[in-house]
Amino acid sequence: MKNLLFIIAAVAVLVLAGCGKPEPSRPAVESVESLVANPERLKELRAQCKADHARMGDAQCQAVAEATRQRFMSGGQSPYANDPVPPQAAPASPSAGPGAKD
């Protein structure tokens, strides 16, 4: 009788141990293309990945990083392309310097 009671108690403990908290479900990972097209959502997710990377998940944070990279490295026209830095003027002659000997 004691053995039967012990077995029932052990089974009850195992059943209750299996009823732990379920793992929180993560939202679906947003694609890189959708994040590139929506900069406000990208900014929001970047802040969330920075604040709590573990909750957001590696897949989502990697998609955010790739979308950020694509937006930064896009082939668009640079605002500085029409304002290049002028080349430095070459010195007039090498012997015209302050330490030149005649």
Side-chain angles (χ1 to χ4, degrees), residues 4-16:
L4 183 61
L5 186 59
F6 178 74
I7 292 173
I8 291 173
V11 170
V13 167
L14 290 175
V15 168
L16 290 175

Side-chain angles (χ1 to χ4, degrees), residues 7-48:
I7 292 173
I8 291 173
V11 170
V13 167
L14 290 175
V15 168
L16 290 175
C19 296
K21 289 184 180 178
E23 199 170 308
S25 62
R26 291 188 176 137
V29 175
E30 294 186 41
S31 70
V32 173
E33 294 79 20
S34 69
L35 293 172
V36 168
N38 188 351
E40 289 300 317
R41 179 69 177 149
L42 177 60
K43 183 178 179 181
E44 178 183 322
L45 287 177
R46 281 181 65 202
Q48 290 177 8

Side-chain angles (χ1 to χ4, degrees), residues 59-85:
Q60 182 64 67
C61 291
Q62 287 174 354
V64 167
E66 178 62 20
T68 301
R69 187 195 68 77
Q70 284 184 14
R71 286 187 52 84
F72 181 77
M73 300 298 288
S74 67
Q77 183 69 23
S78 169
Y80 306 107
N82 295 328
D83 188 23
V85 176

